[in-house]
Amino acid sequence: MTPAARIQAAIEALDAVLAGARAEPVLTAWGRRARYAGSGDRAAVRDLVFDALRRRRSYAALGGAESGRGLMLGRLRARNEDPEDCFTGDRHAPAPLSAAERTAGRPPAGTEALDLPDWLWPAFRESLGAEAEAAALALRHRAPVHLRANLLKGDREAAASALAAEGIETVPVPVGTTALEVTAGARRVARSRAFADGLVELQDAASQAVVDALPLQDGARVLDLCAGGGGKTLALAARLRAPVDAHDAAQRRLAELPSRALRAGAAVRLVAKPEAEAPYDLVLCDVPCSGSGAWRRDPDAKWRLTPDMLAELSRVQDAILDRAAMLLRPGGTLAYATCSLLRAEDEARIGAFLSRASGWRKTSERRWRPGSDGDGFYLALLTREF
């Protein structure tokens, strides 16, 4: 595909997303239809679409319209590239620009320049204070590719050496003791021997740092209550070098965890009713949330979030905290984590829990901001006193 044809494919995908579809299914369906598109073409179109979604408001302002054409036109202008070179109508390129498109567009202003919905900016500012603008701008950039060295198979240095032997270059990420950033050869990771043998797993460095911050003791009984795909479950099992229980309210999310655990050499037990297995020494609740700290990876989620959805997420988070509290022994640790930057999902939920539950105290609280060291995360540790 020519560069212009890739832009036209991105325009069509963006129009579908702007009409309400989710980006990943749209791109998957396009890839299946576009038999002529090679792997490089599919990756390039995906990058165009995700970049446009990360910067949807600023590109729309520059392009003069919140449409696929408007976003791609805005992207070219933001990069100081001449749109006339791509919008030619030749060989599957976008149709030539109209007179209105040539004169439309303006510099983004206010929250447009931060690429946030207007309603969300006050919550960002309240939650992050002086760091709010920097966090919003960080979410406009592509996330780095991070790997976790599997301690059950070797340390970070051994993993880096194995990857280097296959032409995959990495550097350590300071925020996590097992974290590596891929600096060259990222598309080879999933096909590498190091990955197939379980030496590494794809996992954000800040997500790894959350697990590093958990108080794990030999012989501890640990439950990952909202395990999802199991990234933190596997990291827990590697650190503990012992079995870890995993549960998720949507059991289908756990479908690949047994095969991932087998590859990693990790002892993971899927538990349908954790109440029957309680009490635990530590329960990790990586709760469903807005995902605002990870919007670099799922940028259309930023535009789907509404105040009503945020309120409903808070109710779900409260219910999970209450459930987790019943699963711990006295002296046990409840670890509450989100990949959210919003106080409403983080400090406010812990405060609400402590106000309605007796016999608990907060022992630590920490935030990670989105940047080169990883996505945005929040972690609070609570101890059950009786």
Side-chain angles (χ1 to χ4, degrees):
M1 296 175 69
T2 66
R6 290 172 172 176
I7 287 176
Q8 177 58 30
I11 287 171
E12 295 170 10
L14 285 165
D15 282 337
V17 174
L18 293 171
R22 293 179 178 250
E24 286 289 4
V26 166
L27 289 167
T28 298
W30 170 78
R32 288 171 178 165
R33 293 193 308 270
R35 301 289 184 178
Y36 53 85
S39 59
D41 295 319
R42 292 193 296 273
V45 171
R46 186 182 191 277
D47 288 346
L48 288 170
V49 169
F50 272 61
D51 179 52
L53 291 173
R54 291 185 193 103
R55 305 185 183 215
R56 175 172 155 178
R57 292 196 72 189
S58 60
Y59 283 177
L62 288 165
E66 194 168 44
S67 64
R69 280 178 69 88
L71 294 180
M72 284 293 98
L73 178 56
R75 183 179 188 273
L76 289 167
R77 287 173 174 162
R79 296 162 65 90
N80 295 317
E81 297 177 15
D82 187 353
E84 302 284 358
D85 293 340
C86 292
F87 284 71
T88 64
D90 298 332
R91 298 180 60 196
H92 308 291
L97 297 176
S98 67
E101 285 176 322
R102 288 191 179 95
T103 58
R106 55 175 174 76
T111 51
E112 286 179 333
L114 297 175
D115 282 298
L116 286 177
D118 286 333
W119 73 268
L120 193 57
W121 173 240
F124 250 66
R125 190 170 49 204
E126 177 197 4
S127 301
L128 301 173
E131 298 180 340
E133 184 172 327
L137 293 175
L139 294 172
R140 301 167 78 237
H141 297 279
R142 183 175 182 171
V145 177
H146 288 161
L147 303 174
R148 176 178 59 81
N150 179 12
L151 295 176
L152 295 171
K153 298 288 183 80
D155 58 18
R156 179 161 60 181
E157 290 70 24
S161 295
L163 291 164
E166 300 185 70
I168 301 168
E169 298 177 14
T170 61
V171 295
V173 184
V175 73
T177 59
T178 53
L180 292 165
E181 179 180 348
V182 180
T183 56
R187 299 195 190 281
R188 302 179 197 167
V189 171
R191 301 188 302 272
S192 69
R193 173 56 57 188
F195 182 79
D197 289 345
L199 273 68
V200 293
E201 287 278 347
L202 285 161
Q203 187 176 8
D204 176 73
S207 176
Q208 298 178 48
V210 168
V211 176
D212 286 347
L214 300 179
L216 298 177
Q217 298 179 349
D218 291 345
R221 298 194 68 233
V222 175
L223 168 68
D224 189 351
L225 183 60
C226 309
K232 290 186 179 66
T233 310
L234 295 175
L236 280 165
R239 278 198 61 209
L240 198 59
R241 296 183 178 274
V244 171
D245 286 358
H247 171 81
D248 199 280
Q251 293 193 22
R252 67 183 182 280
R253 296 177 188 153
L254 300 169
E256 296 184 10
L257 183 51
S259 60
R260 293 182 67 191
L262 181 64
R263 183 178 69 237
V268 173
R269 187 172 64 133
L270 304 188
V271 175
K273 295 181 178 180
E275 286 79 5
E277 308 295 331
Y280 289 94
D281 299 296
L282 184 144
V283 176
L284 170 62
C285 307
D286 185 9
V287 298
C289 68
S290 65
S292 50
W295 277 342
R296 299 182 295 184
R297 303 178 191 278
D298 185 17
D300 53 335
K302 173 164 56 174
W303 312 109
R304 292 196 306 268
L305 186 67
T306 66
D308 287 344
M309 290 171 61
L310 190 58
E312 176 57 27
L313 283 167
S314 295
R315 287 190 284 271
V316 170
Q317 291 154 2
D318 287 346
I320 292 172
L321 275 166
D322 291 343
R323 183 185 186 189
M326 303 299 294
L327 300 174
L328 281 156
R329 64 165 178 80
T333 298
L334 195 167
Y336 176 84
T338 75
C339 56
S340 173
L341 300 173
L342 303 176
R343 182 177 293 273
E345 300 184 273
D346 298 337
E347 292 94 341
R349 301 280 52 81
I350 294 302
F353 173 77
L354 292 174
S355 69
R356 67 177 180 270
S358 60
W360 291 86
R361 61 184 174 90
K362 181 172 64 178
T363 56
S364 70
E365 188 175 42
R366 183 174 174 184
R367 277 192 179 277
W368 290 263
R369 305 287 190 251
S372 60
D373 279 353
D375 294 337
F377 274 89
Y378 170 84
L379 174 67
L381 300 180
L382 309 175
T383 298
R384 182 176 182 176
E385 295 184 314
F386 56 82

